[in-house]
């Protein structure tokens, strides 16, 4: 655990007692703070009490008298669409609001670092899609190369639950827009921006607010090196803002699908090959086409981001390539579950928005596509360029019929349940087909999370594979 620094003797309230909130409460207590906790959920309050944190009702009048800081879990809205009532009360009482990411960055360094020949480094990864895979891939490459590394944030452990970093260690953090938007301190050594597509628009007051939340990691974080995906206008804008000249290699530009040129530091993937250019010369090239854990152009973009981070940390191209080849992928993200009679079954339940689903559809041919769920804002137009890869769609969700109507001329079955969708898709699939779960929707109409949805898909696929 990383004790929070600079809070000794202060009274600090924690709102939300899930993984990050309860860990923050423990880290604050370890730092000498008097900690008040609250969660609207009674079960969460009971768990906190077992850990020695009796609940204090932060919804009561004058609850913030004498409170120095409110620490908020990332799922709780602080501004849009409307502030949570506890956060609104804290702001009315002029109490600052922070989250565990802000506490982490103000507490991560310690006097022991002055004795290190190679101090620890913090790498942060944000963007709309690919954050988890990029973060996990960086961590895998580093550990595969024998470098000490820890993985946390929006993936794995809570940031304050990390072990105190040792000399030369790399902390890899996946950060969502919810986390970067509110953190009062952001000081990464290396920061990655994968891409941007519409998501969480209600939470950020529109696309501009969503981008602004991610931009904070760079504009206010001031990383020593910024790795920026430039396949969207926002990425090109951000890279331009952070560069002082075209040859400024503190910014590494990343692309998947287009060749980049110029005097700066460039890493791009095109036709299955990753290429690194620096100062107008090619430095290295890696064939990604047969790397099982990184299928499709979207994963090639993730590979480019991870490659750029590891090169910034001093790893050689061949060492990084070895890491690529041994990377097994993450559950629910282009995860190959198995193959039977020439038919592959792929779980991409994490494709919860149109852009992510489009990238999944672009990674395969002859797709038996399982899709549907709780549709997000923006419609399905972004899927149209990839629908040529779909042989047939099998629609799930409570509003399956309505979703199916939006798929146009694509052949489709309204299955409603995962069990029915997998059974029909498997029965109709031919050798060379891919049965792909890439919902393009949130899961909450039928499941508690995209993980639960993916687990259900895997369970139904297991029945087919074992039949």
């Amino acid at each position: 655990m990383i004790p929070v620094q600079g809070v000794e003797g202060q009274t600090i309230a924690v709102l939300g007692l899930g993984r990050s909130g309860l860990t923050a409460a423990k880290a604050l207590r370890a730092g000498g703070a008097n900690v008040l906790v609250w969660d609207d959920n009674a079960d969460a309050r009971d768990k906190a009490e077992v850990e020695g944190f009796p609940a204090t009702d932060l919804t009561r009048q004058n609850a913030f008298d004498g409170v120095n800081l409110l620490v908020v879990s990332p799922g709780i809205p602080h501004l849009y669409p409307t502030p949570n009532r506890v956060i609104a009360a804290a702001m009315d009482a002029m109490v600052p609001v922070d989250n565990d990411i802000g506490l982490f960055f103000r507490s991560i360094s310690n006097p022991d670092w002055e004795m290190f020949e190679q101090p620890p480094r913090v790498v942060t990864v944000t963007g709309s899609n690919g954050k988890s895979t990029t973060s996990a891939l960086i961590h895998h490459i580093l550990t595969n190369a024998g470098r000490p590394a820890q993985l946390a944030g929006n993936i794995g452990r809570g940031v304050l639950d990390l072990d105190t970093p040792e000399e030369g260690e790399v902390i890899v953090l996946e950060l969502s827009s919810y986390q970067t938007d509110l953190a009062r301190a952001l000081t990464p050594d290396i920061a990655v921006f994968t891409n941007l597509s519409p998501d969480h628009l209600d939470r950020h007051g529109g696309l501009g607010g969503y981008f602004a939340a991610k931009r904070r990691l760079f504009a206010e974080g001031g990383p020593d090196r910024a790795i920026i995906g430039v396949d969207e206008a926002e990425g090109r804008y951000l890279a331009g803002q952070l560069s002082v000249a075209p040859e400024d290699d503190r910014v590494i530009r990343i692309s998947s699908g287009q060749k980049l040129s110029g005097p700066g530091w460039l890493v791009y993937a095109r036709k299955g090959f990753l290429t690194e250019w620096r100062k107008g010369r090619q430095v290295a090239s890696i064939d990604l086409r047969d790397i099982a854990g990184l299928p499709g152009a979207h994963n090639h973009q993730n590979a480019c981001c991870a490659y750029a981070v590891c090169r910034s940390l001093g790893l050689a191209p061949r060492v990084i390539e070895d890491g690529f080849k041994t990377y097994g992928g993450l559950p629910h993200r282009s995860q190959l579950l198995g193959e039977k009679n020439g038919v592959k079954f792929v779980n991409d339940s994490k494709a919860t928005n149109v852009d992510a689903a489009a990238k999944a559809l672009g990674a395969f041919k002859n797709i038996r596509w399982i899709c549907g769920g709780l549709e997000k804002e923006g419609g399905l137009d972004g899927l149209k360029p990839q629908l040529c890869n779909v042989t047939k769609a099998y629609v799930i969700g409570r509003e399956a019929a309505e979703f199916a109507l939006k798929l146009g001329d694509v052949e489709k079955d309204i299955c409603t349940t995962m069990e029915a969708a997998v059974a029909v898709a498997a029965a109709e699939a031919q050798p060379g087909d891919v049965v792909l779960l890439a919902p393009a929707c949130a899961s909450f109409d039928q499941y508690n999370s995209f993980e639960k949805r993916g687990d259900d898909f895997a369970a139904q696929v297991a029945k087919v594979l074992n039949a």
Side-chain angles (χ1 to χ4, degrees), residues 303-421:
C304 287
C305 291
Y307 178 94
V309 168
C310 293
R311 290 289 283 147
S312 298
L313 292 169
L315 272 64
R318 290 299 167 240
V319 172
I320 300 171
E321 183 176 5
D322 288 344
F324 285 165
K325 290 178 178 178
T326 57
Y327 177 68
L330 285 174
H332 315 299
R333 298 160 176 89
S334 296
Q335 178 191 16
L336 178 62
L337 297 176
E339 183 173 346
K340 185 174 183 180
N341 300 328
V343 177
K344 293 180 178 179
F345 296 83
V346 177
N347 171 16
D348 205 336
S349 183
K350 184 62 170 67
T352 58
N353 59 46
V354 166
D355 185 66
K359 289 176 178 177
L361 293 176
F364 304 100
K365 304 292 184 183
N366 306 319
I367 298 170
R368 303 279 175 172
W369 179 33
I370 298 177
C371 55
L374 189 63
E375 190 177 344
K376 296 185 177 180
E377 294 181 19
L380 304 180
D381 288 348
L383 293 170
K384 289 181 179 179
Q386 305 300 340
L387 292 180
C388 58
N389 294 332
V390 175
T391 301
K392 188 174 180 180
Y394 304 83
V395 188
I396 63 173
R398 293 179 184 173
E399 299 179 356
E402 183 178 343
F403 186 92
L405 288 173
K406 299 177 182 179
L407 297 179
D409 295 333
V410 174
E411 186 180 355
K412 60 191 78 73
D413 265 355
I414 299 171
C415 299
T416 307
T417 68
M418 185 71 72
E419 182 178 19

Side-chain angles (χ1 to χ4, degrees), residues 2-14 24 27-29 31-34 67-72 95-111 113 122 124 159-160 162 165 173 175 182-188 220-221:
I2 298 174
V4 178
Q5 297 182 21
V7 297
E8 188 171 359
Q10 295 185 13
T11 297
I12 298 180
V14 175
L28 286 162
R29 181 171 61 187
N34 173 36
V67 173
N68 299 100
L69 177 71
L70 173 65
V71 176
V72 178
V95 172
V97 181
D98 204 349
N99 61 16
D100 63 330
I101 303 301
L103 297 180
F104 166 85
F105 277 110
R106 68 188 260 185
S107 307
I108 181 61
S109 62
N110 61 64
W113 288 23
V122 177
T124 57
V159 291
L160 293 170
L162 289 167
L173 303 181
L175 298 182
L182 190 58
R184 293 171 63 85
L186 290 166
T187 55
E220 299 183 32

Side-chain angles (χ1 to χ4, degrees), residues 19-20 23 74 100-101 104 123-126 129-140 149-162 170-177 179 302 327-333 350 450-451:
R19 183 193 65 178
S20 65
T23 300
D100 63 330
I101 303 301
F104 166 85
V123 175
T124 57
V125 181
T126 195
N129 299 303
K131 299 186 297 296
S132 296
T133 295
T134 299
S135 301
L137 182 56
I138 294 166
H139 180 260
H140 172 79
Q150 297 183 69
L151 178 65
N154 206 39
I155 182 175
R157 303 160 72 180
V159 291
L160 293 170
D161 193 36
L162 289 167
V170 180
I171 304 297
V172 185
L173 303 181
E174 179 196 340
L175 298 182
S176 71
S177 58
Q179 294 167 310
N302 300 334
Y327 177 68
L330 285 174
H332 315 299
R333 298 160 176 89
K350 184 62 170 67
F450 74 84
E451 291 97 339

Side-chain angles (χ1 to χ4, degrees), residues 224-227 246-254 259-268 274-285 307-317 320:
D224 296 332
R225 178 152 283 128
I227 295 159
E247 62 274 13
D248 184 357
D249 67 1
R250 294 175 303 169
V251 175
I252 305 177
R253 290 169 170 81
I254 301 297
K259 180 178 179 179
L260 301 179
S261 60
W265 198 345
L266 313 169
V267 180
Y268 63 87
L274 181 153
T275 303
E276 178 188 3
W277 283 74
R278 196 169 185 183
K279 297 180 180 178
R281 295 188 303 109
Q282 182 173 321
V283 175
S285 179
Y307 178 94
V309 168
C310 293
R311 290 289 283 147
S312 298
L313 292 169
L315 272 64
I320 300 171

Side-chain angles (χ1 to χ4, degrees), residues 20-282:
S20 65
L22 193 53
T23 300
K26 294 176 183 178
L28 286 162
R29 181 171 61 187
N34 173 36
V35 184
L36 312 177
V37 303
W38 180 251
D39 194 300
D40 289 338
N41 184 288
D43 290 339
R45 297 197 298 269
D46 290 343
K47 283 186 179 179
E49 187 161 5
V50 170
E51 298 287 346
F53 296 102
T56 299
D57 188 354
L58 297 177
T59 66
R60 61 179 173 77
Q61 192 172 6
N62 302 321
F64 286 95
D65 289 353
V67 173
N68 299 100
L69 177 71
L70 173 65
V71 176
V72 178
S73 293
I76 302 173
H78 59 275
L79 188 57
Y80 301 112
T82 56
N84 175 276
R85 58 177 176 164
V86 173
I87 298 176
M91 292 189 291
D92 288 343
M94 302 183 189
V95 172
V97 181
D98 204 349
N99 61 16
D100 63 330
I101 303 301
L103 297 180
F104 166 85
F105 277 110
R106 68 188 260 185
S107 307
I108 181 61
S109 62
N110 61 64
D112 292 341
W113 288 23
E114 296 179 6
M115 307 298 293
F116 291 159
E117 291 185 11
Q118 188 178 2
R121 310 285 295 280
V122 177
V123 175
T124 57
V125 181
T126 195
S128 295
N129 299 303
K131 299 186 297 296
S132 296
T133 295
T134 299
S135 301
L137 182 56
I138 294 166
H139 180 260
H140 172 79
I141 294 167
L142 291 169
T143 55
N144 192 64
R147 290 281 296 270
Q150 297 183 69
L151 178 65
N154 206 39
I155 182 175
R157 303 160 72 180
V159 291
L160 293 170
D161 193 36
L162 289 167
D163 300 326
T164 301
E166 61 184 75
E167 180 165 351
E169 189 162 19
V170 180
I171 304 297
V172 185
L173 303 181
E174 179 196 340
L175 298 182
S176 71
S177 58
Y178 293 179
Q179 294 167 310
T180 59
D181 194 22
L182 190 58
R184 293 171 63 85
L186 290 166
T187 55
D189 297 289
I190 300 171
V192 179
F193 177 86
T194 59
N195 49 57
L196 193 85
S197 61
D199 206 0
H200 308 305
L201 300 188
D202 59 335
R203 177 67 181 265
H204 296 291
L207 185 60
Y210 177 52
F211 175 53
K214 295 186 177 296
R215 181 180 173 274
R216 289 191 72 239
L217 186 60
F218 302 85
E220 299 183 32
D224 296 332
R225 178 152 283 128
I227 295 159
I228 310 293
V230 295
D231 289 333
E232 294 88 29
E234 291 86 355
R236 293 190 291 275
Y237 168 79
L238 181 58
Q241 278 207 316
L242 298 173
S243 303
V244 297
E247 62 274 13
D248 184 357
D249 67 1
R250 294 175 303 169
V251 175
I252 305 177
R253 290 169 170 81
I254 301 297
S255 177
S256 177
Q258 62 174 318
K259 180 178 179 179
L260 301 179
S261 60
W265 198 345
L266 313 169
V267 180
Y268 63 87
R270 190 165 178 264
K271 297 182 179 179
F273 287 86
L274 181 153
T275 303
E276 178 188 3
W277 283 74
R278 196 169 185 183
K279 297 180 180 178
R281 295 188 303 109
Q282 182 173 321

